[in-house]
Amino acid sequence: MRELPYYSVRMRASKSKPHEEGGKHISGGEQLVLFDEIRGAVDKLLLKSLTHSRGTPDFAQIQFEIVDEPIQVISPLTITTHITHSVDEGQLLAQNLLMKCGVPFHIIQKAYLLMEDHAELSGAILIDSKTGRRLDESHGNGKGIRVSRMDWRDENFKKWNREIAANQNDRLKEAITLASKVSMHQATVAELCWSDDPDYTTGYVASKKFGYQRITSLKEYGDEQGCRIFFVNSSEDITKYIDYLKKNPVLIQWEVNHD
Ligand code: WAQ
Ligand code: MG
Ligand code: MG
Ligand code: MG
């Protein structure tokens, strides 16, 4: 039996100028869908770009392309939610989790400094978990690496959601999808993330070992400074790693008896 081909559909939207000319990042999105679903995916991404809490875009690009590589099907990371009552409490917890994953405290501090110096990112910063050196700058436009070609089929996500999360939310789906793809790779030590959307304060630390650890307050409401950092084992081939993040197609699938 021949499997149907999948298509990668991607969107990026910015304000005042395109990203590469220094415009403000508004929104991005990626989906992996079948041919008959391209129109729906484009529609959904267009709506996402036009109705965003970071502002109205002046530039947007939506594109699709066929994916030739075989699709890898993986399980979602396990999810744990920590209700925290202040940003200080949330941040302390995030840092403790990163240390449990093996990222030393002084590297975490370096990462926060790097992040503050690069406020206008549309992708993820890659940081060497042993030296704190940034690893992605010579790859791409300096705006971070955008992970792409991953998705979680709605039906399966809804099933997972009903039984595990009870939080019907596209953002959660997108974040776990990305975190599961990223964690899967042996070069990833841990990921730290919170949204750059001013109306969303929940973020997470993700890793193979501890799964997707949600933390409800990683920044103040109204703050437009987001974060996405991958702590990386740099003894792995970084060019290949970045290629995996951008190009390898991954679908998330949850099986009831498989965890
Ligand atoms: N690849 C790499 N980096 C990305 C990607 C991607 N596909 N998408 C977003 N980023 C980076 C980019 O720098 C953004 O500014 C930053 O992450 C935040 O993106 O309830 O919504 O899409 O469990 O605003 C996590 C918690 C929400 C969800 C994360 O991030 C939950 C979120 P956003
Ligand atoms: Mg997103
Ligand atoms: Mg894609
Ligand atoms: Mg955002």
Side-chain angles (χ1 to χ4, degrees):
M1 193 176 79
R2 230 186 93 72
E3 285 184 16
L4 290 172
Y6 276 87
Y7 293 79
S8 160
V9 189
R10 291 184 291 161
M11 176 277 289
R12 62 185 174 108
S14 60
K15 186 141 195 96
S16 83
K17 284 175 265 177
H19 295 87
E20 57 274 26
E21 292 169 27
K24 175 190 177 186
H25 174 64
I26 297 291
S27 172
E30 24 280 310
Q31 295 191 27
L32 197 57
V33 300
L34 298 170
F35 184 82
D36 289 346
E37 299 165 335
I38 293 175
R39 192 171 166 192
V42 168
D43 223 47
K44 198 166 170 183
L45 290 170
L46 179 62
L47 185 67
K48 186 181 181 190
S49 75
L50 293 176
T51 56
H52 205 276
S53 63
R54 285 177 61 79
T56 314
D58 298 319
F59 167 91
Q61 179 177 304
I62 303 182
Q63 70 178 62
F64 74 83
E65 65 198 321
I66 194 162
V67 169
D68 292 321
E69 297 83 355
I71 310 282
Q72 197 179 352
V73 179
I74 66 170
S75 297
L77 289 173
T78 55
I79 179 172
T80 308
T81 298
H82 304 272
I83 313 267
T84 48
H85 302 284
S86 69
V87 175
D88 283 349
E89 188 190 346
Q91 283 290 344
L92 195 65
L93 177 58
Q95 290 165 21
N96 278 327
L97 286 166
L98 287 171
M99 286 190 280
K100 272 171 82 178
C101 295
V103 186
F105 183 63
H106 72 280
I107 302 295
I108 299 172
Q109 284 178 309
K110 262 190 162 176
Y112 276 78
L113 289 177
L114 262 178
M115 177 178 53
E116 279 160 24
D117 288 349
H118 302 277
E120 276 304 311
L121 292 172
S122 48
I125 304 184
L126 274 51
I127 290 180
D128 185 329
S129 68
K130 290 199 188 78
T131 65
R133 199 167 55 89
R134 189 165 167 195
L135 298 172
D136 59 285
E137 253 172 337
S138 57
H139 301 261
N141 58 7
K143 300 220 159 238
I145 303 298
R146 195 88 199 168
V147 186
S148 189
R149 300 192 168 189
M150 69 278 177
D151 215 327
W152 189 347
R153 310 283 300 163
D154 259 329
E155 225 169 89
N156 187 259
F157 171 71
K158 283 186 178 138
K159 199 167 84 183
W160 172 86
N161 198 60
R162 268 196 308 274
E163 296 191 35
I164 305 287
N167 181 344
Q168 190 70 38
N169 157 345
D170 262 355
R171 187 192 295 274
L172 175 69
K173 176 175 124 173
E174 286 166 12
I176 297 200
T177 301
L178 182 150
S180 302
K181 176 175 175 182
V182 172
S183 295
M184 254 285 290
H185 197 286
Q186 58 195 14
T188 306
V189 175
E191 177 190 356
L192 170 66
C193 168
W194 62 85
S195 182
D196 58 353
D197 304 5
D199 54 351
Y200 206 77
T201 63
T202 300
Y204 64 87
V205 172
S207 64
K208 279 179 268 308
K209 212 167 170 185
F210 303 108
Y212 183 89
Q213 300 272 340
R214 294 179 85 212
I215 301 171
T216 57
S217 36
L218 281 181
K219 68 168 193 188
E220 300 294 347
Y221 193 89
D223 189 348
E224 289 202 341
Q225 172 69 53
C227 166
R228 202 157 231 141
I229 297 177
F230 304 159
F231 293 92
V232 177
N233 176 353
S234 66
S235 53
E236 300 284 333
D237 182 330
I238 296 305
T239 304
K240 273 198 191 144
Y241 178 57
I242 291 175
D243 206 57
Y244 165 83
L245 297 173
K246 289 180 167 176
K247 295 278 165 62
N248 276 44
V250 168
L251 279 178
I252 307 301
Q253 188 154 338
W254 178 66
E255 312 283 0
V256 185
N257 56 358
H258 165 292
D259 174 51

